[in-house]
């Protein structure tokens, strides 16, 4: 109880200064970096490995600078075919947000309008790029992100629109402590951008940008200022205010500060806290901009690959890490085979002295030039008749190396849980049922990637359902997008008390008007083929049935 009292006293303090917010942001960022630095080193190595930097630097250097001559360091790309398979499965079975009403004030038709708004926002944002970038990052290194922003419709408009934005570099995002794989339970988050000094001065002419301005923070100086670039962070965080809620006899709940009715109507009361979301843009030494964020969530969504918890710390990985050792073995064995071929001497001709006198120049070049025939002297220097010169067999490459190469390939597939059948490679004498079973096993082994992306898109849908009424807060006609890709319009009136009303117009038609702020709506994500794909498949099926008939 003492702690609660301290918290309440702290919350009743006046608004914090910029310096207090900045100090809090620096402390929280340091916590994020310290907490994830070890894991992010592994993730960066995973990313480099998937982009074909697969040899450890010291081993590669030793082989390339060998005093006896450079040795091969081959990189055989065996991993990206599996990454592409998982990512393209996501593309073919794109998750879609479905909105449904929860309470009595919500309306089914309004839920459909919400769905149309979300589709329209996704369409205008080209959200598929944002989703797939985050999904592919989760497949490669174990986590990815997409985010939401609000911006003016155009340079001359005061209307704001919501956009879903791609985060191409997952290392530019830090979320505060969280348990959920989507990051929805975090209390704060950062998104970073390295801005060239000239651009920074143009955008923020009154801001500090000299290197000496950062000298007062030695622990963070290199992080915020390097190579004529200044790191700018968007910082989202929550602030809380204490509230006394009253439960009235008519079943409604009101804030005690706004209630002016009789005491007898109050059935119960309790202390709670309201939460507002704040946004600011800052460097390590000052705040550049700040304002309230309209929604109640941190608008950064995390997509997780595979995770585990060890000693209270999250360990995250994707498709690459389990297969790295097998892939390194494959590269090493392939390099060894090539090296043996390169070092094997050219197979010479063995013959008696004097047999190579005729056409001697042709015999000297026989290992370089493909002659149609070679002539030899059948009598040696002693006058004896001898057989024709014979080419010696080249040194054999051990069969064990080829067998081990195949074993390494199988180890890769076992590490990933993906087998040849899932990549379209059929084995001889293998039944269709067996191929289907292997394909299903491979799909099951990587299903957590697409499922986690669905969970993240579902959370993104909740953010949009919360944010849309607060951005579309005036009477207006908006565009919504149907499942079939056709645009429609909807009339919004945030002042009407119902979620949907029907009015008869002068021509006798019925006009529906919606208030997105009334009622509670929930969001789910469904995974399946796109509307166009289903339409094409249905058309093909009907054509086939007609032909057979």
């Amino acid at each position: 109880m003492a702690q609660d009292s301290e918290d309440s006293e702290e919350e009743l303090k006046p608004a914090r200064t910029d310096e207090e917010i900045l100090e809090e942001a620096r402390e929280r960022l340091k916590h994020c970096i310290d907490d994830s630095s070890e894991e992010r080193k592994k993730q960066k190595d995973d990313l480099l490995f998937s982009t074909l930097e697969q040899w450890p630097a010291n081993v590669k250097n030793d082989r390339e600078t060998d005093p006896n001559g450079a040795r091969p360091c081959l990189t055989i790309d065996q991993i990206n075919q599996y990454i592409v398979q998982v990512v393209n499965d996501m593309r073919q079975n794109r998750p879609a947000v479905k909105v449904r009403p929860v309470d009595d004030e919500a309306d089914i038709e309004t839920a459909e309008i919400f769905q149309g708004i979300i589709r329209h926002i996704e369409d205008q944002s080209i959200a598929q790029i944002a989703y797939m970038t985050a999904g592919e990052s989760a497949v490669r290194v174990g986590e990815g992100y997409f985010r939401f922003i609000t911006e003016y419709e155009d340079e001359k408009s005061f209307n704001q629109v919501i956009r879903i934005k791609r985060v191409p570099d997952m290392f530019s995002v830090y979320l505060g402590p969280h348990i959920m794989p989507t990051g929805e339970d975090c209390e704060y988050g950062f998104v970073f951008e390295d801005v060239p000094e000239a651009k920074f001065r143009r955008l923020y002419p009154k801001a500090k940008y000299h290197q000496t301005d950062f000298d007062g923070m030695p622990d963070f100086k290199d992080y915020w200022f390097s190579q004529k670039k200044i790191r700018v962070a968007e910082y989202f965080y929550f602030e809380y205010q204490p509230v006394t809620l009253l439960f009235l006899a008519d079943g409604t709940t009101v804030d005690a500060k706004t209630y002016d009715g009789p005491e007898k109507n109050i059935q119960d009361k309790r202390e709670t806290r309201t939460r507002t979301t704040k946004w600011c843009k800052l460097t390590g030494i000052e705040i550049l901009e700040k304002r309230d964020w309209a929604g109640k969530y941190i608008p950064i969504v995390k997509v997780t690959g595979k995770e585990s918890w060890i000693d209270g710390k999250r360990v995250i990985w994707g498709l690459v890490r389990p297969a790295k050792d097998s892939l390194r073995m494959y590269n090493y064995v392939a390099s060894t085979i090539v090296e043996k071929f390169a070092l094997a001497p050219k197979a010479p001709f063995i013959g008696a002295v004097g047999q190579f006198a005729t056409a001697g120049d042709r015999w000297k070049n026989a290992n370089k030039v493909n002659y149609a025939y070679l002539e030899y002297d059948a009598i040696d220097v002693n006058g004896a008749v001898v057989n024709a010169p014979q080419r010696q067999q080249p040194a054999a490459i051990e069969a064990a190396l080829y067998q081990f190469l195949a074993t390494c390939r199988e180890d890769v597939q076992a590490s990933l849980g993906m087998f040849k059948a899932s990549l379209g490679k059929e084995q001889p004498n293998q039944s269709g049922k067996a191929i289907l079973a292997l394909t299903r096993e491979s799909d099951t082994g990587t299903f957590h990637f697409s499922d986690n992306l669905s969970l993240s898109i579902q959370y993104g849908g909740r953010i949009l359902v919360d944010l849309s009424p607060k951005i579309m807060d005036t009477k207006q006609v908006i565009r919504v997008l149907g499942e079939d890709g056709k645009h429609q319009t909807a009339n919004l009136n945030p002042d009407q008390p119902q979620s949907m009303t029907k009015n008869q117009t002068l021509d006798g038609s019925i006009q529906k008007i919606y208030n997105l702020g009334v009622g509670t709506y929930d969001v789910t994500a469904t995974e399946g083929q796109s509307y166009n794909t289903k339409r094409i498949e249905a058309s093909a099926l009907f054509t086939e049935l007609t032909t057979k008939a």
Side-chain angles (χ1 to χ4, degrees), residues 23 177 258 462:
E23 182 63 27
T258 61
R462 288 206 300 272

Side-chain angles (χ1 to χ4, degrees), residues 87-100:
V87 173
N88 285 344
D89 280 345
M90 291 179 178
R91 292 179 184 274
Q92 289 180 327
N93 299 284
R94 290 177 290 183
V97 171
K98 185 173 181 61
V99 183
R100 60 189 181 193

Side-chain angles (χ1 to χ4, degrees), residues 21-71:
I21 296 172
L22 192 62
E23 182 63 27
E24 175 191 75
R26 286 196 294 251
E27 289 178 2
R28 286 179 163 181
L29 175 60
K30 186 176 186 304
H31 175 78
C32 288
I33 293 174
D34 291 344
D35 190 56
S36 62
S37 59
E38 182 178 342
E39 199 61 31
R40 290 209 166 189
K41 286 179 183 178
K42 296 178 184 178
Q43 290 175 306
K44 189 172 183 180
D45 188 66
D46 293 344
L47 182 61
L48 289 172
F49 196 95
S50 71
T51 53
L52 306 186
E53 292 289 336
Q54 298 185 359
W55 286 84
N58 59 331
V59 175
K60 187 175 183 179
N61 182 66
D62 289 345
R63 291 176 70 89
E64 291 181 342
T65 59
D66 193 304
N68 297 319
R71 303 177 64 189

Side-chain angles (χ1 to χ4, degrees), residues 344-371:
K346 294 290 186 179
F349 285 91
I350 304 297
V353 176
Q355 282 191 291
F356 304 103
T358 300
D361 290 340
R362 293 169 70 92
W363 282 104
K364 288 179 181 179
N365 294 322
N367 277 332
K368 301 178 182 178
V369 181
N370 293 323
Y371 293 116

